[in-house]
Amino acid sequence: MDSLLQEIKEKINNIKTLKELNDLKVEYLSKKGPVNELSSKMKDLSVEEKKEYGMKLNAFKLEVNSLFDSLKEQLENEVLNEKLKNETIDITLPSKKVKRGSKHPMSRMVEEFEDLFVSMGYTVYDGPEIESDENCFQKLNLPVGHPARDAQDTFYLENEYENYLLRSQTSTAQVRAMEEHTEKGPIRIVCPGKVYRRDEDATHSHQFMQIEGLVIDENISMADLKGTLELFCKKILGEKTEVRFRPSYFPFTEPSVEVDVSCFKCGGKGCNLCKQTGWIEVLGAGMVHPNVLEMSGYDSKKYQGFAFGTGIDRFAMFKYGIPDIRTIYGNDIRFLKQFDRKDVE
Ligand code: FA5
Ligand code: MG
């Protein structure tokens, strides 16, 4: 045993890898190896001798095993340390910049409008962009052949869908909200969304956005309309903004007004933006026409309402100083990047 232990110790001292160690283990500790051979000698011994020999053999085996185990642990640690050393990450290396997008100026404007009206108790209402002629015109007091349709020429569907079109105004939401109201009671909604017209120049796009507002209740008057729209313009364009109401015409409101605000560029003195007038038109509005109420099932003796509609693009153009409406829909990254306003997020 002593000489075998000596032999194993010497061999173990020369071992460099786990594989060599494993081979050595097989050589000495397998069934037919020299260590097992020592055990098989037991059967030739007397009971007395067995006892002494057995104890010595056990101690011997323990020592051999611990020699193998401790070297194994040591070699495994070396392998692990080597791996850790090779795979370290240099956290001081500069990272690749993640390209961050930004909210589209129209989305910003829509959110601003929605926040304001929700704070005044309105609900946000959504309607489809493909609409029936009925909802876009007829039920808004614009029967087939009405001359005021000319101002809102749009895109029409064909064949079995010939009574459908791309809505030219969000006023369709007025009809839908009234029709859907089963009890024909009070309504207070805003509806932002895309609308379409046969237009194309620096301030008119074939696709643009409007936000519609509709309030219906008992005892609603022109004073409610004025107060609401004054607040609306001042909150969006600044407290110093002056608001002017001009008589106008819309088939679905009576009386109708157009609302101008004092020019935010020159403050009302006159400049190229306001075409030297000091005023800029921002929205159309009026008291809901009794015909419109009745057509959607409301009792016009009991209920009154006011409605307004405004072009969101125009507000964005004024607010952000965008000179051409077509850039809003051009998807030019250089334009969109300018609205990455980290401060407001
Ligand atoms: C209407 O569309 C009415 N539905 C507004 C209304 C609602 C009146 C409720 C009364 C009651 P108008 O056609 O004027 O009105 O359009 C409203 C706004 O949309 C305009 O002031 C303008 O800001 C914007 N607008 C109209 N055409 C275009 C266009 N081609 N490109 C961009 N903005 C446009
Ligand atoms: Mg107008």
Side-chain angles (χ1 to χ4, degrees):
M1 275 182 230
D2 290 341
S3 65
L4 187 57
L5 185 65
Q6 200 52 41
E7 190 185 318
I8 292 175
K9 274 185 179 165
E10 268 165 32
K11 290 211 169 167
I12 271 199
N13 271 342
N14 291 325
I15 282 199
K16 299 256 159 15
T17 67
L18 279 164
K19 171 155 189 338
E20 286 169 15
L21 182 68
N22 208 38
D23 290 347
L24 193 68
K25 204 172 170 181
V26 171
E27 187 183 335
Y28 282 89
L29 300 182
S30 63
K31 262 197 182 143
K32 288 185 181 145
V35 175
N36 240 6
E37 214 169 281
L38 288 174
S39 310
S40 63
K41 291 213 169 100
M42 288 279 272
K43 64 181 186 308
D44 307 326
L45 300 173
S46 68
V47 177
E48 274 304 294
E49 283 169 329
K50 260 187 192 156
K51 200 176 163 196
E52 198 189 325
Y53 184 82
M55 269 164 62
K56 220 183 155 202
L57 185 64
N58 265 344
F60 166 78
K61 278 187 179 170
L62 278 176
E63 184 159 6
V64 170
N65 273 326
S66 90
L67 279 173
F68 275 98
D69 287 349
S70 65
L71 183 60
K72 187 172 178 235
E73 196 183 318
Q74 189 192 324
L75 289 174
E76 278 174 349
N77 274 336
E78 276 170 21
V79 170
L80 182 68
N81 284 333
E82 186 66 18
K83 215 174 162 190
L84 286 174
K85 212 171 89 197
N86 291 336
E87 291 178 8
T88 44
I89 300 164
D90 182 356
I91 56 166
T92 63
L93 272 177
S95 64
K96 272 191 196 152
K97 260 219 150 86
V98 176
K99 275 199 190 126
R100 194 194 120 114
S102 57
K103 251 182 214 162
H104 193 279
M106 294 309 289
S107 306
R108 282 185 194 286
M109 283 308 305
V110 169
E111 280 171 17
E112 203 176 318
F113 283 120
E114 286 179 354
D115 284 351
L116 173 64
F117 283 102
V118 166
S119 80
M120 296 197 281
Y122 288 68
T123 350
V124 177
Y125 184 91
D126 201 18
E129 288 164 32
I130 296 177
E131 237 331 338
S132 63
D133 184 280
E134 199 179 17
N135 286 345
C136 194
F137 294 124
Q138 294 168 42
K139 290 209 157 163
L140 286 165
N141 217 17
L142 279 139
V144 178
H146 194 291
R149 283 185 178 216
D150 280 357
Q152 296 194 13
D153 200 8
T154 179
F155 302 89
Y156 305 89
L157 278 72
E158 289 181 331
N159 304 327
E160 69 262 46
Y161 300 111
E162 65 179 1
N163 288 324
Y164 287 84
L165 41 78
L166 297 187
R167 67 176 175 194
S168 58
Q169 50 183 352
T170 45
S171 300
T172 53
Q174 293 185 35
V175 177
R176 284 182 167 268
M178 284 191 281
E179 300 268 325
E180 278 168 19
H181 201 309
T182 44
E183 283 119 58
K184 307 296 171 196
I187 291 178
R188 197 181 296 187
I189 53 146
V190 282
C191 172
K194 291 196 198 95
V195 295
Y196 303 84
R197 285 187 200 180
R198 220 183 111 178
D199 288 346
E200 190 81 63
D201 64 35
T203 53
H204 293 81
S205 167
H206 60 274
Q207 175 198 304
F208 59 107
M209 285 189 89
Q210 288 188 335
I211 184 163
E212 191 81 8
L214 174 70
V215 172
I216 289 183
D217 211 331
E218 293 175 45
N219 302 318
I220 294 286
S221 75
M222 194 79 184
D224 300 307
L225 167 82
K226 267 191 92 175
T228 305
L229 295 182
E230 250 169 37
L231 189 82
F232 162 48
C233 292
K234 283 180 196 283
K235 285 278 184 229
I236 299 285
L237 297 170
E239 291 297 329
K240 285 202 194 107
T241 310
E242 279 185 64
V243 182
R244 179 172 84 170
F245 291 79
R246 261 185 303 112
S248 185
Y249 169 75
F250 295 103
F252 35 90
T253 47
E254 179 61 37
S256 302
V257 290
E258 267 177 322
V259 180
D260 301 338
V261 293
S262 51
C263 178
F264 12 80
K265 193 170 170 202
C266 63
K269 283 188 224 89
C271 68
N272 60 341
L273 183 67
C274 59
K275 299 190 181 99
Q276 312 304 330
T277 63
W279 296 96
I280 289 171
E281 181 201 316
V282 287
L283 54 87
M287 300 306 292
V288 180
H289 197 292
N291 286 357
V292 173
L293 287 167
E294 297 284 345
M295 272 189 278
S296 288
Y298 273 80
D299 178 356
S300 65
K301 299 268 179 327
K302 187 173 173 203
Y303 284 106
Q304 301 78 45
F306 69 80
F308 56 89
T310 186
I312 303 180
D313 308 68
R314 297 272 165 87
F315 274 91
M317 288 170 81
F318 297 145
K319 208 167 163 117
Y320 298 121
I322 302 167
D324 191 325
I325 191 171
R326 288 167 292 201
T327 53
I328 295 180
Y329 298 101
N331 275 340
D332 186 329
I333 289 286
R334 292 167 303 178
F335 168 76
L336 296 171
K337 258 197 199 151
Q338 299 172 52
F339 300 94
D340 187 6
R341 300 205 5 226
K342 299 183 177 79
D343 55 313
V344 289
E345 263 163 32

